[in-house]
Amino acid sequence: MTANGRAGGNVETAPASQQGMRRQNLAAVIGAVAAHGRLSRADIAGHTGLTRPAVSSLADELIGRAALIETQTAPSGRVGRPGRALALNDKGPAGLGLEIGVTHLAACVVDLRGEPRVWRRIQRANAGRPAGQVLAETAALGADAETEAAALGLRVQGRVLAVPGVVPNAPGGLVAHAPNLGWRDVRPADHWPDPHTVPEPENEANLGALAEQRRRGRSAETFVHVSAEAGIGAALVIDGRLFRGARGFAGELGHLPVHPDGAPCPCGARGCLEQYAGERAVLREAGLDDTGDPVAVLAGRAGAGDPATLRALDRAGRALGLALTSAVDLIDPDALVLGGAYAELADWLLPPLRAELAARVTVRPWAPEAVRPSSLGRGGPVLGAAWSTVQRIIADPARLPVRRAE
């Protein structure tokens, strides 16, 4: 996260002061361990360019902040005592990701290594409910997750909330518009029970993209991450950096027109992608209602060969192909990634989607395998939320409290 708390950017340069330089050097030391795994102090000096005495001092401080632990390295075959190495502490600072979906709430706690240690997800119909009620229930779910994490020796030091809506590039934690929840200009801080645990809101598609980037480990990749629940969102990652647009409104793929004179959309336009490939549109086309878990119902019916469901998914895949053709021609991505509900319906969406792209992407080479489902499925946004808090800790570990002596 950036120094102002938003996910997906680079940390701002600290002031050129002694304190600022030490903060940067603490981040360099823990960053080397995070990137390379267990390292000796000499190895860290080699990776960072710092002197060994400086590394030792910084490492001791990070141990005091419970960010690093000292551990024994593997036997080297040399005579003498085994070496000592530094590793990220798996019982110390942690990050909490929260998610509000149209049909669910979720919470996830990850340790500094990025490993999920607590995971909770409950079905909840959130559309049209008062924002304060939804946020209070989300806070309670997060508090339960933190309690479970504490029993594992983890202390949550950062919180991010994934929401299916627009979160502008502005301070204050504003959700400007979440149409499928019925929210406009909602600040989570105004409704959160504990002012000390208010999370930073972020768009769920952006967080899903950050989770996908971390899982694949390709920091410089350019890709479009498309996710769907009731609405359709997209995140643009360009040369490894999340692109938000001038005001944070980038990625509104669901309102890209695929049939300009087509069905009216609640946004006021006509022929938007959501009216052909959104969850409700697919259910309507398949003759199904939206009770229970719609994605599981669609997957089950499609797997059983139900003709109406297969037709609905085929239409959705072709509409996605139409919309994503524009993305391919505009930004020339390495890949298109189907996340969220689309990942679980990929077996039926990918053939028509790839067919549309093959027919329409004619100005550049394009391989069918460049469109792929995310391995994270519907867990991507809440994982991305939790991981982004850990990124912030590693980018500025001086924020961590010093551990008291036992």
Side-chain angles (χ1 to χ4, degrees):
M1 300 177 74
T2 60
N4 65 3
R6 295 303 298 274
N10 292 334
V11 177
E12 296 173 0
T13 303
S17 64
Q18 186 173 359
Q19 183 180 12
M21 286 298 296
R22 187 165 184 85
R23 291 181 83 104
Q24 288 185 340
N25 290 339
L26 284 169
V29 170
I30 194 172
V33 177
H36 301 285
R38 294 183 179 187
L39 292 175
S40 69
R41 285 170 168 78
D43 290 334
I44 293 172
H47 283 294
T48 63
L50 297 167
T51 65
R52 289 183 66 173
V55 168
S56 289
S57 172
L58 295 162
D60 289 343
E61 181 172 342
L62 290 167
I63 291 170
R65 295 181 186 273
L68 294 181
I69 56 173
E70 199 163 35
T71 182
Q72 185 171 302
T73 61
S76 64
R78 294 194 295 264
V79 176
R81 293 193 305 169
R84 305 290 289 175
L86 294 166
L88 294 173
N89 190 359
D90 63 354
K91 291 184 179 179
L96 171 65
L98 297 164
E99 182 185 9
I100 296 173
V102 176
T103 60
H104 71 277
L105 301 174
C108 177
V109 177
V110 300
D111 62 27
L112 282 185
R113 303 169 304 166
E115 294 295 323
R117 305 290 294 278
V118 177
W119 190 292
R120 295 186 174 212
R121 182 184 176 100
I122 59 175
Q123 290 298 116
R124 193 72 87 239
N126 294 317
R129 295 172 59 206
Q133 184 180 2
V134 175
L135 286 162
E137 291 182 9
T138 308
L141 186 68
D144 288 345
E146 289 198 39
T147 298
E148 186 177 344
L152 300 174
L154 297 166
R155 302 190 319 276
V156 169
Q157 298 291 334
R159 301 159 185 87
V160 169
L161 172 66
V163 292
V166 176
V167 181
N169 294 339
L174 175 69
V175 181
H177 193 204
N180 291 304
L181 292 176
W183 292 10
R184 188 176 287 278
D185 295 332
V186 172
R187 294 184 187 277
D190 293 340
H191 305 278
W192 209 258
D194 183 351
H196 299 101
T197 64
V198 179
E200 291 271 356
E202 176 59 281
N203 174 264
E204 55 87 22
N206 288 346
L207 291 168
L210 294 176
E212 180 70 16
Q213 183 184 42
R214 184 188 187 282
R215 174 60 62 91
R216 286 181 59 81
R218 297 185 179 181
S219 59
E221 190 175 31
T222 293
F223 67 95
V224 180
H225 182 273
V226 185
S227 63
E229 195 181 28
I232 300 173
L236 311 180
V237 177
I238 300 176
D239 292 335
R241 297 181 62 122
L242 186 64
F243 177 77
R244 299 179 181 278
R247 298 173 182 83
F249 288 71
E252 286 296 304
L253 185 73
H255 297 289
L256 193 71
V258 292
H259 298 294
D261 297 320
C265 180
C267 76
R270 302 186 71 89
C272 294
L273 176 63
E274 282 187 9
Q275 301 309 304
Y276 300 90
E279 185 179 277
R280 289 172 185 156
V282 177
L283 289 168
R284 184 172 61 247
E285 182 75 7
L288 303 171
D289 59 37
D290 58 358
T291 58
D293 185 341
V295 177
V297 171
L298 285 169
R301 301 270 302 226
D306 177 63
T309 302
L310 292 173
R311 284 195 301 271
L313 290 170
D314 181 81
R315 186 180 85 147
R318 292 190 180 280
L320 273 171
L322 279 170
L324 290 172
T325 295
S326 299
V328 171
D329 286 339
L330 186 64
I331 68 170
D332 187 25
D334 297 305
L336 303 172
V337 182
L338 300 186
Y342 285 156
E344 298 184 24
L345 298 170
D347 286 348
W348 304 281
L349 293 172
L350 281 176
L353 194 166
R354 285 171 170 162
E356 285 292 332
L357 288 168
R360 296 177 182 279
V361 178
T362 58
V363 297
R364 54 150 285 171
W366 184 257
E369 58 270 19
V371 189
R372 64 173 190 265
S374 170
S375 63
L376 298 173
R378 285 185 276 178
V382 72
L383 267 174
W387 281 337
S388 68
T389 66
V390 169
Q391 289 174 350
R392 187 181 188 185
I393 292 169
I394 291 172
D396 189 8
R399 296 170 181 258
L400 296 172
V402 176
R403 182 171 50 185
R404 294 180 181 177
E406 298 295 335

